[in-house]
Amino acid sequence: MGIHHVDEINSSCLLLSRVATNDGHGENSSYFDGWKAYDSNPFHPTRNPEGVIQMGLAEHQLCLGTMQEWIRKNPKASICTEEGLSQFKDIANFQDYHGLPQFRKAIAKFMGKVRGGRAEFDADRVVMSGGATGAQETLAFCLANPGEAFLIPTPYYPAFDRDFRWRTGVQLLPIHCHSINNFKITETALMTAYRRALKSNIKVKGILVTNPSNPLGTTMDRATLRTLARFANENNIHLICDEIFGGTVFDGPEFASISTVLEDDPRLNRDLFHIAYSLSKDLGVPGFRVGIIYSYNDAVVSCARKMSSFGLVSTQTQHLLAAMLGDDEFTTKLLAESRRQLSRRHAVFTSGLERVGIRCLESNAGLFFWMNLKHLLKAATVEAELELWRVIIHKVKLNISPGSAFHCSEPGWFRVCFANMDDGTMEVALRRIRAFVYEANERGTTSAQTTKNKKRFDRTLRLSLPRRFDHDLMTTMTPRLMSPHSPLVKAAN
Amino acid sequence: MTSGSSEKSAAKDSTGSPATGLGGGSGMQLIVPLQGVVQGSGGIVLGSLIPCALFYVLQLYLKRNRSPSPPPSPSDDGSWETHAISRSPSRNVLSPRGSSGHAAVSSRASSIAKSGGSPYFVGSRKCSEDPYHPIDNPDGVIQLGLAENHLSLDLIGDWLAKHMKDSVLNEQRGLGGLSISRLAAYQPFDGLMELKMGVAGFMGQAVGGSVSFDPSQIVLTAGATPAIEILSFCLADPGNAFLVPSPYYPGYDRNMRWRAGIELIPVPCRSMDNFVLNIALLERSYNQAKKRGVKVRAILFSNPSNPVGNLLSRETLHDLIDFATEKNIHVIADEVFAASTYGNEEFVSIAEVMNTHEFDMSRIHIIYGLSKDLSIPGFRIGLIYSFNEHLLAAASKLSRFSSVSVPTQHLVISMLTDTKFITEYIKMNRERLRVMYELLVNGLQQLGIECAKSSGGFYCWADMSKFMKSYSEKGEFELWKDMLNLAKIHATPGLACHCIEPGWFRLCFTTLTQKDIPVVIERIKRVTYRH
């Protein structure tokens, strides 16, 4: 065979693998379109006030000041300071995949604290990964073979499709949840999903849930969590709880982690339970790339630890966090501050939206809320939802995420992130929404039920949320936007 | 949904070990009462058929739900020190579809979690339990199995001390200073452009300026380990193979087999060639693979070589590229020791050969990182350098699973921007490596131990075959044990590196001081005098 000169592009495409050339990266999903719009025209209060405001990124930037303060006061924690320099050689040289012992201890301690001391974590079970992204992928590699499946309640974080499935070949099958009961997971829905998989000859290896939920922003109640745990136990399948937002619970009910359920019920087979965690959300440090796998299964700990070679945390970062998270006083202060800020921000947004007739799912955690815009849809279809979404991105210039990207079974829901901006930007965002609603109103359909709706709407507007802010808000109602048949209206009544 | 208690007990068995099912005992418990029932109403045929059918169904059910037994593969815990005695090609550990059972972990996890019981694990353990120290523990186990460079860490520490003012978290930097929000926020997963530029510059300095590396052809990852894994996922499908000249770095068996499912086919190199790759042998290995129906997707080699330390000549690199072009496969050059050369021989990067050659560049990829050449393995900085834009796009998306921590990126950017320091560092490091290498090789020579000609890396590749009881794998293993137990030295045996000739050992000298060398030689005498 002689040397053949092949066209460069053709040959390079032919030579790559399936993983490299398929759509497993999911970046063709609508979830990322808004990001592209933001990237090409990002909002800035002075330099680009007409730009797109990023409300599609669940980043927690409200407590960075507290953290910066701590770093300044604790120079020894950083190897880049005079005080910390003596540690440099050992830290720079240490590449054991067990991680620095003090780092693991600090993580275990912090995880316990996030759960209000209701559960204790063993430092020897703490395994590192490349962010929560890496944690999810590693767990999938450890628990399932290609072609096998995990059940997952909808709506769910879109990137799971990539993180859990792309290189692993594992499937995700939905457990459909609906707004009629606030998207709670029911045993019926769980059974239906499980049976459907069995009928299709797909082996179900486990269930993957996010608690607190992304995108709903709600904590799972203990009863549901226990149901899931028992179901997993009875069917000998795994339960992965992604508890990445555990520290962002700003309101009651208190966070029920799978760790507390396990402590309460010793009959459960602990080998089936695993927690995926990260500091990206609770601490607001996604750039640090700290992912954690905490498994109650020794084989999984052993395997995941070996795989952590593919995503170890920089020892410089481990060293810093070991000191930071080992400081009890600091972590108490940080978690309290975080909750306070999130609660305030959440209240401002949700009350601001309610005043223009937009309802959100009642939520108590997370960095976002789940907004109901069904009444603004031309039709109850995904196409109509995407059409509305494109208007919001391009005309209202807000990057929010459409429910269909989260596999939501009902069109019209949108996830809106609120913790990644300052107060000024938040005001601008609210103003734009109000303006959009006015405009939609003026163009909107008239209804014979206008007066009736107005009365109902007035009633529902008796908010139980405290009015913390004096906003110059419109007082005229927009009854045509409120659907009297919305389940949320019923709930309020 | 059925969840009888029998299922539960079977499941409890299955966690961690293959479930053995209920066995005949409880089967009989079903059959006896049934026979009674059937006999009561008469009919010997029914009396035997029905219980048999039920028993058969029960066994079928149990068989289908049995946990998988570990797939037959060489046991490997993935860490380079530990390899079972096996010269078989490293095959894919994925078990055949449909064999998994109740609540088991994946087949992959089963085999990975179980490995680590292989003999060489003992060596690492003994090192950590009884570590040598010249004053505190002079009779401890000397670690010569870890390719970590402690010789020049002080240079970096000094630089840091001098440049404290520029520390990433220092408030006084004013407008140029980095606030926590810049350190903490999401950044591109494949690394900050400033770091790519810094590393591209470093790579250019490592090769003495003969090549200029383009930062836009870099995807940064948390170490060279994930870089190689990501590259494997992009260039090959599970079950495909890479040709790898042996002896090779044991970590490849982990990086490419575990999750990417790539088979590594060793292409044996011989001492008479100073372990340099022979193209004829490469051709033969390729054809053998083809006959077996295995699709070869790439050649992977380290240059400077790990474990031998030799360098590939320009001609050999040319020949490799010609071979790859002819077979339409990729070339992966692992150049992590590029700046750690010390001989008179010049290191030639594959990138340099490309400049002067006319062929499809999209099949050439380089693995690099700062763990070896800059002595900062803890910081986790590695990269893929490629001439293939489609590969770079795919790898960039995959880098999200293995991104470099942002504060670390900033620290290293500062360091790499100081090109004067980097030039000095590379120069001094090379000198220190040369001194240690020569001391050790000369010392070994006095014992009658010859080493392969090395010009790079942190180790020498020593021929200790004359001290084996038998010229065989067993002989080498016995010698390795004697080294550990008698000489109290932990070294990496050729077997772990898939070397085809028994008796070769990799001895790392970069965790020692000059004073330790005579101690090492004395220790080895305990073994050489016995044999």
Side-chain angles (χ1 to χ4, degrees):
Chain A
M1 264 172 96
I3 297 170
H4 32 252
H5 298 279
V6 188
D7 172 70
E8 195 173 315
I9 293 175
N10 279 345
S11 72
S12 56
C13 270
L14 279 171
L15 286 182
L16 297 187
S17 68
R18 286 194 287 271
V19 162
T21 50
N22 68 16
D23 273 340
H25 52 77
E27 284 180 24
N28 299 329
S29 147
S30 51
Y31 182 63
F32 297 104
D33 284 354
W35 291 47
K36 292 172 193 162
Y38 167 76
D39 282 341
S40 57
N41 183 20
F43 171 83
H44 187 277
T46 47
R47 284 177 285 182
N48 189 18
E50 296 308 309
V52 177
I53 298 180
Q54 174 65 286
M55 302 185 86
L57 181 57
E59 232 181 9
H60 187 359
Q61 294 178 355
L62 304 178
C63 292
L64 292 175
T66 311
M67 200 178 299
Q68 180 132 38
E69 185 65 27
W70 185 93
I71 292 173
R72 199 178 345 157
K73 289 205 186 118
N74 292 272
K76 221 173 157 206
S78 164
I79 50 174
C80 306
T81 58
E82 274 178 56
E83 296 85 339
L85 188 60
S86 57
Q87 301 273 314
F88 174 81
K89 275 200 209 172
D90 293 331
I91 297 295
N93 212 51
F94 184 88
Q95 56 175 328
D96 184 340
Y97 61 34
H98 286 81
L100 293 171
Q102 58 269 36
F103 171 72
R104 274 186 288 116
K105 280 200 193 83
I107 293 284
K109 191 172 170 191
F110 185 70
M111 284 175 77
K113 196 145 192 185
V114 164
R115 288 147 187 79
R118 294 182 297 278
E120 243 184 63
F121 290 85
D122 178 359
D124 288 335
R125 290 193 176 279
V126 171
V127 173
M128 292 182 281
S129 62
T133 302
Q136 287 297 343
E137 195 197 38
T138 299
L139 280 170
F141 271 123
C142 287
L143 300 177
N145 295 325
E148 294 178 344
F150 265 69
L151 304 178
I152 183 167
T154 66
Y156 66 82
Y157 168 56
F160 278 153
D161 287 331
R162 168 191 53 204
D163 299 345
F164 207 76
R165 299 183 325 169
W166 191 9
R167 295 194 291 187
T168 62
V170 176
Q171 299 187 58
L172 281 176
L173 302 175
I175 302 168
H176 291 291
C177 301
H178 305 279
S179 60
I180 193 133
N181 67 339
N182 293 330
F183 296 98
K184 287 207 176 91
I185 306 166
T186 62
E187 201 160 351
T188 316
L190 184 55
M191 288 286 297
T192 307
Y194 187 69
R195 285 208 185 108
R196 197 187 305 126
L198 292 183
K199 246 204 207 142
S200 318
N201 249 329
I202 299 173
K203 180 147 187 69
V204 174
K205 285 309 279 287
I207 308 168
L208 168 61
V209 299
T210 307
N211 173 31
S213 162
N214 179 3
L216 303 176
T218 53
T219 48
M220 202 180 288
D221 58 276
R222 285 192 83 82
T224 308
L225 200 47
R226 263 194 245 114
T227 304
L228 285 169
R230 270 192 238 116
F231 186 91
N233 202 56
E234 279 161 17
N235 292 285
N236 282 302
I237 60 178
H238 296 278
L239 178 61
I240 300 175
C241 292
D242 184 339
E243 300 192 343
I244 194 177
F245 293 101
T248 65
V249 180
F250 54 81
D251 207 351
E254 92 185 343
F255 174 44
S257 158
I258 189 66
S259 53
T260 52
V261 169
L262 284 176
E263 293 203 358
D264 288 345
D265 193 349
R267 294 167 306 170
L268 293 169
N269 177 4
R270 292 166 88 88
D271 280 346
L272 302 174
F273 298 93
H274 323 274
I275 297 176
Y277 188 57
S278 162
L279 299 180
S280 300
K281 311 295 179 185
D282 283 355
L283 230 55
V285 290
F288 284 16
R289 310 311 306 144
V290 180
I292 302 291
I293 295 170
Y294 190 94
S295 173
Y296 293 89
N297 180 322
D298 291 343
V300 173
V301 170
S302 170
C303 181
R305 181 156 283 138
K306 287 168 180 157
M307 288 186 181
S308 67
S309 298
F310 300 114
L312 292 174
V313 178
S314 163
T315 44
Q316 175 196 18
T317 305
Q318 288 187 47
H319 181 71
L320 175 70
L321 290 170
M324 204 188 282
L325 298 181
D327 185 341
D328 233 343
E329 204 186 304
F330 168 73
T331 49
T332 306
K333 185 172 169 211
L334 186 79
L335 287 171
E337 169 77 10
S338 169
R339 285 172 185 141
R340 195 181 68 80
Q341 295 278 10
L342 290 171
S343 175
R344 181 185 78 97
R345 192 51 82 78
H346 178 266
V348 167
F349 260 113
T350 48
S351 61
L353 289 173
E354 287 219 32
R355 282 176 191 135
V356 296
I358 295 177
R359 299 300 296 264
C360 304
L361 184 71
E362 205 172 301
S363 61
N364 63 329
L367 310 175
F368 33 72
F369 49 82
W370 192 231
M371 180 170 71
N372 183 355
L373 295 185
K374 281 179 173 177
H375 52 289
L376 295 181
L377 293 188
K378 289 203 178 120
T381 61
V382 172
E383 290 71 32
E385 176 187 283
L386 292 177
E387 202 188 310
L388 174 61
W389 174 67
R390 275 188 282 274
V391 167
I392 296 174
I393 298 265
H394 297 295
K395 296 244 168 68
V396 190
K397 302 252 179 62
L398 298 175
N399 176 27
I400 64 176
S401 313
S404 49
F406 296 82
H407 303 275
C408 186
S409 48
E410 302 166 20
W413 292 89
F414 290 81
R415 188 190 77 169
V416 183
C417 299
F418 58 72
N420 61 328
M421 59 185 70
D422 56 33
D423 287 346
T425 310
M426 179 181 68
E427 293 295 326
V428 175
L430 276 171
R431 254 204 310 275
R432 289 187 186 177
I433 295 175
R434 284 201 293 273
F436 169 65
V437 165
Y438 283 139
E439 210 188 323
N441 230 14
E442 275 162 26
R443 280 185 286 107
T445 55
T446 53
S447 163
Q449 294 197 28
T450 302
T451 328
K452 203 174 169 190
N453 287 348
K454 190 176 172 177
K455 282 202 189 128
R456 267 214 208 158
F457 188 64
D458 283 339
R459 270 213 308 279
T460 61
L461 266 194
R462 234 163 266 134
L463 300 171
S464 53
L465 291 168
R467 290 196 179 200
R468 295 169 200 241
F469 298 93
D470 287 326
H471 287 295
D472 181 22
L473 295 174
M474 66 162 188
T475 48
T476 52
M477 297 298 119
T478 53
R480 281 161 297 184
L481 291 178
M482 278 301 294
S483 159
H485 305 292
S486 159
L488 287 177
V489 174
K490 286 203 189 89
N493 286 335
Chain B
M1 171 175 75
T2 52
S3 55
S5 56
S6 53
E7 244 185 50
K8 273 196 187 125
S9 54
K12 281 203 167 64
D13 275 343
S14 77
T15 54
S17 61
T20 49
L22 299 175
S26 35
M28 287 313 292
Q29 285 162 16
L30 265 178
I31 289 169
V32 169
L34 268 171
Q35 280 182 330
V37 164
V38 168
Q39 276 162 7
S41 54
I44 296 172
V45 172
L46 278 179
S48 44
L49 265 184
I50 293 173
C52 284
L54 284 171
F55 191 73
Y56 171 71
V57 165
L58 180 69
Q59 288 302 313
L60 192 66
Y61 171 82
L62 291 171
K63 193 175 172 191
R64 275 184 64 210
N65 288 294
R66 213 180 288 261
S67 294
S69 41
S73 63
S75 73
D76 168 18
D77 87 337
S79 70
W80 61 262
E81 301 106 334
T82 63
H83 260 72
I85 302 175
S86 167
R87 300 256 196 239
S88 61
S90 27
R91 304 243 163 135
N92 194 330
V93 295
L94 293 178
S95 73
R97 213 178 260 261
S99 65
S100 45
H102 269 306
V105 294
S106 63
S107 321
R108 200 191 259 120
S110 290
S111 73
I112 293 170
K114 278 186 188 116
S115 62
S118 75
Y120 300 118
F121 185 63
V122 173
S124 307
R125 204 167 33 84
K126 289 204 170 171
C127 280
S128 45
E129 283 168 6
D130 181 21
Y132 165 78
H133 186 275
I135 300 161
D136 300 335
N137 191 16
D139 202 40
V141 181
I142 302 181
Q143 171 68 284
L144 297 187
L146 208 49
E148 257 177 25
N149 187 3
H150 296 188
L151 304 178
S152 307
L153 263 179
D154 59 309
L155 297 175
I156 302 192
D158 290 344
W159 180 91
L160 210 51
K162 241 196 290 176
H163 293 80
M164 214 46 62
K165 295 188 287 300
D166 291 340
S167 126
V168 293
L169 299 171
N170 193 313
E171 290 293 289
Q172 271 79 55
R173 269 186 100 188
L175 280 174
L178 288 167
S179 64
I180 185 75
S181 54
R182 263 187 73 189
L183 293 175
Y186 279 110
Q187 300 296 347
F189 285 118
D190 64 341
L192 296 168
M193 183 42 87
E194 298 106 302
L195 184 53
K196 290 187 187 181
M197 286 163 61
V199 180
F202 183 84
M203 289 166 80
Q205 285 180 281
V207 298
S210 60
V211 184
S212 168
F213 290 89
D214 182 352
S216 67
Q217 288 174 241
I218 293 177
V219 169
L220 289 168
T221 58
T225 298
I228 270 201
E229 199 202 27
I230 288 172
L231 198 55
S232 306
F233 268 108
C234 288
L235 299 182
D237 299 314
N240 292 161
F242 289 174
L243 296 173
V244 192
S246 67
Y248 64 76
Y249 165 56
Y252 287 161
D253 288 325
R254 162 199 64 196
N255 297 349
M256 271 149 287
R257 277 174 52 227
W258 271 10
R259 309 192 309 183
I262 313 269
E263 181 185 331
L264 295 184
I265 299 175
V267 180
C269 302
R270 305 166 299 190
S271 52
M272 66 188 232
D273 298 326
N274 197 44
F275 295 99
V276 172
L277 180 63
N278 176 314
I279 297 293
L281 289 176
L282 190 65
E283 179 86 46
R284 191 169 79 182
S285 297
Y286 179 86
N287 292 332
Q288 281 172 350
K290 207 166 165 198
K291 272 206 199 97
R292 272 196 292 128
V294 170
K295 192 166 181 200
V296 171
R297 299 300 290 266
I299 309 166
L300 161 68
F301 60 88
S302 57
N303 178 33
S305 159
N306 182 359
V308 180
N310 55 15
L311 305 182
L312 293 181
S313 66
R314 241 185 212 97
E315 290 68 39
T316 310
L317 289 171
H318 273 223
D319 291 342
L320 269 167
I321 296 173
D322 284 342
F323 178 85
T325 308
E326 190 194 328
K327 309 295 184 204
N328 198 21
I329 60 180
H330 293 274
V331 177
I332 306 171
D334 177 352
E335 300 189 343
V336 291
F337 288 101
S340 303
T341 52
Y342 43 77
N344 296 323
E345 233 182 301
E346 186 209 358
F347 170 67
V348 179
S349 164
I350 197 162
E352 197 184 325
V353 172
M354 306 239 333
N355 285 344
T356 57
H357 213 81
E358 291 256 328
F359 49 78
D360 182 5
M361 300 199 295
S362 66
R363 64 178 80 252
I364 311 292
H365 319 278
I366 298 174
I367 294 289
Y368 192 62
L370 299 180
S371 298
K372 307 295 182 189
D373 282 351
L374 202 53
S375 317
I376 48 172
F379 290 177
R380 315 309 305 146
I381 299 182
L383 63 100
I384 298 170
Y385 188 91
S386 177
F387 297 85
N388 185 324
E389 58 174 1
H390 300 281
L391 173 95
L392 288 171
S396 164
K397 294 185 175 89
L398 284 170
S399 66
R400 62 179 298 107
F401 296 107
S402 314
S403 275
V404 186
S405 187
V406 175
T408 302
Q409 292 194 48
H410 285 290
L411 170 58
V412 176
I413 287 168
S414 304
M415 217 183 276
L416 297 179
T417 317
D418 190 344
T419 47
K420 194 157 163 274
F421 161 69
I422 294 295
T423 309
E424 266 306 299
Y425 172 86
I426 292 178
K427 186 161 155 240
M428 288 190 72
N429 185 43
R430 283 192 162 132
E431 182 55 29
R432 293 178 185 186
L433 286 169
R434 189 188 60 76
V435 166
M436 291 299 286
Y437 172 75
E438 282 173 2
L439 273 173
L440 183 58
V441 167
N442 292 337
L444 291 170
Q445 236 168 15
Q446 282 159 30
L447 297 179
I449 298 172
E450 291 299 324
C451 295
K453 180 166 178 292
S454 304
S455 304
F458 296 163
Y459 33 73
C460 60
W461 186 237
D463 182 2
M464 298 185 61
S465 53
K466 59 160 83 117
F467 304 109
M468 296 191 298
K469 287 203 184 87
S470 64
Y471 191 77
S472 64
E473 291 168 17
K474 185 161 183 286
E476 182 186 285
F477 184 58
E478 295 298 317
L479 181 57
W480 175 80
K481 273 199 294 190
D482 283 346
M483 286 270 280
L484 186 61
N485 298 323
L486 295 175
K488 294 185 86 178
I489 286 184
H490 179 233
T492 310
L495 185 52
C497 307
H498 303 268
C499 185
I500 202 153
E501 297 174 20
W504 291 84
F505 284 78
R506 187 188 79 166
L507 306 169
C508 297
F509 50 76
T510 45
T511 53
L512 305 172
T513 63
Q514 290 184 26
K515 290 202 188 91
D516 296 326
I517 301 281
V519 179
V520 168
I521 300 301
E522 277 307 304
R523 294 279 193 95
I524 296 180
K525 275 190 191 153
R526 294 183 199 172
V527 162
T528 58
Y529 281 160
R530 269 178 61 97
H531 291 258

